[in-house]
């Protein structure tokens, strides 16, 4: 096999979004090489368009590795366009929108849970910061790693305000993590993935955050093992789904939506959607802070430009649906709180 035309995934294993994209490439059965960010192999590749990990470098029509892409959500959409077999995004437009909504929840709300537990709890902070420097260079001297760990922890803790973790929001975040696990525990007993018998982008977005919340970080993992031990098994399974055979019929029937899937959308509408709307309003008003009600409690944090874009993208995706598909989506989301996205 000519591996010169393989994709290159550049990232680190400690990044939930790297895990998400690597699992997607494995499930899609796409030829790729994993390149550790900051390595000499990464330095030989085209630079990323945004200062983020992971990023993907794809060959152009001549086979040259010239196209670097950042941000996992548009990357997954681009991969579905370039490689139509085994797509992560459903071909049914209504189902595709619901998958995008779950993906956004995983990427943008469960990330709040992950960041909160990791960088506001000393036990989890010490554990994460101790190993993360070695993910880029396992040969690093212990003394050098300790300095790097402290610097990294300080940088991450300084970003807590943007992510949304503080004394006011902590109870909301921690309660939402437990409820997600309760919803997950019920739903996965009836369906192996959120939208049926095959994974969507939403599954892998949640999986990426769960690699840290369920497997790596002690405090949220203890909650997970109390509420849903199967969450560990599911998360580990999603690391490599290349052996899973799928068909278009494996997607859920939206005319027969299960109560457990509706419960997931109710959880998204309970916490994620109110924040998205309030944050977008704050950005539009030029406010540096968001203050709103989430789950009946005060939520306050720094406003976040990227998550205002997330809401705009979701609304754009809904706007391009046909009248019939809009009605199908609205029927699925009625009473969940998610309908506020397009009202």
């Amino acid at each position: 096999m000519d591996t010169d035309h393989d994709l290159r995934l550049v990232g680190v294993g400690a990044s939930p979004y790297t895990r998400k994209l690597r699992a997607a490439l494995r499930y899609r059965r796409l030829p790729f090489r994993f390149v550790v960010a900051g390595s000499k192999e990464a330095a030989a590749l085209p630079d990323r368009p945004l200062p983020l990990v992971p990023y993907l470098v794809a060959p152009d029509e001549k086979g040259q590795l010239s196209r670097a892409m950042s941000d996992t959500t548009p990357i997954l959409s681009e991969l579905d366009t370039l490689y139509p077999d085994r797509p992560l995004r459903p071909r049914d437009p209504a189902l595709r929108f619901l998958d995008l909504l779950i993906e956004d929840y995983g990427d943008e709300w469960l990330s709040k849970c992950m960041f909160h537990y990791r960088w506001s709890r000393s036990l989890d902070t010490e554990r994460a910061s101790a190993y993360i420097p070695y993910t880029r260079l396992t040969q690093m001297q212990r003394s050098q790693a300790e300095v790097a760990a402290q610097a990294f922890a300080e940088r991450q803790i300084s970003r807590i305000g943007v992510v949304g973790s503080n004394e006011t929001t902590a109870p909301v975040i921690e309660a939402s993590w437990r409820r997600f696990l309760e919803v997950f525990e019920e739903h996965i007993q009836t369906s192996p993935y959120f939208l049926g018998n095959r994974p969507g982008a939403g599954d892998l977005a949640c999986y990426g955050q769960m690699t840290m919340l369920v497997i790596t970080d002690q405090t949220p993992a203890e909650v997970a093992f109390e509420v849903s031990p199967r969450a560990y098994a599911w998360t580990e399974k999603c690391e490599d789904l290349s052996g899973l055979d799928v068909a278009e019929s494996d997607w859920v029937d939206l005319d027969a939506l299960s109560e457990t899937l509706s419960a997931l959308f109710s959880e998204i509408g309970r916490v994620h959607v109110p924040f998205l709307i309030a944050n977008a309003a704050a950005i539009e008003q030029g406010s540096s802070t968001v203050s709103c009600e989430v789950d009946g409690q005060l939520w306050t944090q720094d406003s976040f430009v990227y998550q205002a874009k997330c809401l705009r993208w979701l609304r754009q995706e809904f706007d391009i649906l046909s009248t019939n598909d809009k009605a199908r989506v609205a029927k699925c989301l009625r009473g969940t709180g998610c309908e506020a996205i397009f009202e």
Side-chain angles (χ1 to χ4, degrees), residues 106-125:
D107 282 345
E108 307 301 331
W109 183 270
L110 287 187
S111 64
K112 291 182 184 295
C113 299
M114 190 283 293
F115 210 92
H116 164 74
Y117 280 109
R118 175 168 286 187
W119 303 113
S120 71
R121 301 296 189 97
S122 58
L123 175 66
D124 301 283
T125 297

Side-chain angles (χ1 to χ4, degrees), residues 94-259:
L95 198 58
R96 173 189 168 91
F97 177 83
L98 296 178
D99 181 53
L100 283 166
L101 180 57
I102 299 172
E103 181 185 17
D104 195 70
Y105 168 78
D107 282 345
E108 307 301 331
W109 183 270
L110 287 187
S111 64
K112 291 182 184 295
C113 299
M114 190 283 293
F115 210 92
H116 164 74
Y117 280 109
R118 175 168 286 187
W119 303 113
S120 71
R121 301 296 189 97
S122 58
L123 175 66
D124 301 283
T125 297
E126 290 170 5
R127 180 169 179 169
S129 56
Y131 85 85
I132 284 175
Y134 297 114
T135 61
R136 292 178 182 267
L137 182 64
T138 53
Q139 291 77 33
M140 186 181 295
Q141 292 297 313
R142 183 70 174 267
S143 58
Q144 182 183 359
E146 290 172 351
V147 172
Q150 182 176 350
F152 184 78
E154 289 174 353
R155 183 168 68 252
Q156 295 298 88
I157 291 170
S158 72
R159 296 184 61 245
I160 279 182
V162 176
V163 175
S165 170
N166 53 59
E167 290 184 1
T168 300
T169 63
V172 180
I173 293 172
E174 293 179 13
S176 76
W177 172 232
R178 180 176 290 271
R179 282 197 310 274
F180 168 75
L181 289 166
E182 291 169 349
V183 170
F184 176 92
E185 172 70 9
E186 291 299 315
H187 182 63
I188 297 301
Q189 292 181 59
T190 66
S191 174
Y193 305 99
F194 292 134
L195 295 179
N197 293 321
R198 60 186 292 174
D203 291 274
L204 296 190
C206 294
Y207 153 79
Q209 303 301 325
M210 290 168 72
T211 59
M212 309 294 138
L213 285 161
V214 176
I215 295 177
T216 304
D217 295 355
Q218 184 170 334
T219 304
E222 288 178 351
V223 179
F225 271 88
E226 175 192 341
V227 177
S228 178
R230 81 181 72 239
Y232 183 101
W234 184 88
T235 304
E236 192 278 331
K237 179 182 74 170
C238 287
E239 182 175 340
D240 191 341
L241 294 172
S242 59
L244 181 68
D245 291 328
V246 297
E248 193 64 23
S249 59
D250 288 332
W251 295 114
V252 69
D253 179 1
L254 291 190
D255 293 325
L257 210 64
S258 68
E259 291 184 3

Side-chain angles (χ1 to χ4, degrees), residues 2 12 35 37 39-40 63 138 234 260-261 287 331 334-335 342:
D2 181 4
V12 291
V35 178
S39 66
K40 62 181 178 61
T138 53
W234 184 88
T260 57
L261 184 54
S287 175
K331 180 181 178 182
R334 187 174 300 128
F342 45 79

